[in-house]
Amino acid sequence: RREELHNIRLEHLMDRKPNNIVRKATQEDAEYIVEVLAKKMLEREYERPELYNKEALLEITTLSIKQGCTIVIERDRELVGVVGGIVHQHPFNPSITVLSEAMWYVEEEHRSTRSVIKMLKTYIGLDVSDEKTFSLLPSSNISERNMNKLGFKKTEIGYLRR
């Protein structure tokens, strides 16, 4: 019991936002995820505001939530972070399932908290597929070394031409 209390205290000391809750998203979260977090992800991080399509994003988010593949950070009853993906068949071998990350965004003031790590580890730990893919923008401060620690290995570098 003492060790349990120590671990709880330690976690609160390590997290600058100790009231953050990491949990699976519910359907009630879908609209906020799309209208606020996914929109900010596309506009601010991805710098592609023209990709924001509320109906399409709501469809993707709803599917991800139904599959149990959307994890959120909640602070004072407001969502401040999300990571979500879709489980699908591998295009080259349909007997292999893949969880492909479709969105992830954390409000800037919450990015340096342990809640982000907990959210990512919860997402990565989902036992829903044979493989998982995860992408980072060039501006991301998450290093390849840290991704390796999470069990990922770099397999390709993507490029976009418009």
Side-chain angles (χ1 to χ4, degrees):
R1 178 83 179 132
R2 184 184 300 161
E3 186 177 312
E4 211 174 279
L5 288 172
H6 174 72
N7 288 340
I8 290 169
R9 281 192 209 111
L10 186 60
E11 184 150 331
H12 281 273
L13 286 173
M14 296 169 80
D15 192 340
R16 290 183 218 143
K17 305 277 188 192
N19 295 324
N20 288 355
I21 298 168
V22 174
R23 63 173 176 80
K24 282 191 175 183
T26 65
Q27 197 53 50
E28 290 75 35
D29 299 322
E31 203 155 314
Y32 188 86
I33 289 170
V34 168
E35 291 179 357
V36 178
L37 300 176
K39 187 172 187 175
K40 287 180 180 180
M41 173 192 74
L42 291 171
E43 291 176 353
R44 296 179 185 178
E45 305 297 326
Y46 203 58
E47 298 177 353
R48 297 284 309 274
E50 74 277 10
L51 293 179
Y52 182 77
N53 178 304
K54 182 179 174 181
E55 292 75 26
L57 284 166
L58 198 53
E59 191 174 317
I60 291 167
T61 302
T62 298
L63 176 59
S64 180
I65 290 171
K66 282 182 182 174
Q67 291 180 338
C69 299
T70 304
I71 309 298
V72 294
I73 301 172
E74 182 181 328
R75 166 87 177 174
D76 297 327
R77 297 190 178 140
E78 184 176 314
L79 300 183
V80 297
V82 63
V83 60
I86 304 292
V87 177
H88 58 92
Q89 295 175 325
H90 194 287
F92 303 135
N93 185 342
S95 68
I96 297 172
T97 57
V98 180
L99 172 59
S100 293
E101 168 259 321
M103 71 181 101
W104 86 282
Y105 179 81
V106 177
E107 297 283 5
E108 207 165 321
E109 62 271 20
H110 296 273
R111 292 181 184 177
S112 63
T113 66
R114 295 202 33 87
S115 301
V116 176
I117 295 166
K118 186 176 180 183
M119 178 183 71
L120 291 175
K121 284 185 174 181
T122 301
Y123 175 78
I124 291 164
L126 294 173
D127 189 18
V128 295
S129 63
D130 301 312
E131 298 179 352
K132 294 175 176 76
T133 64
F134 202 84
S135 59
L136 299 173
L137 294 173
S139 61
S140 175
N141 62 357
I142 297 177
S143 69
E144 184 176 345
R145 185 172 156 253
N146 285 334
M147 290 303 290
N148 291 340
K149 284 181 182 178
L150 293 170
F152 288 91
K153 69 175 188 171
K154 188 189 295 185
T155 56
E156 61 183 69
I157 297 173
Y159 294 92
L160 172 68
R161 179 175 182 222
R162 293 192 271 173

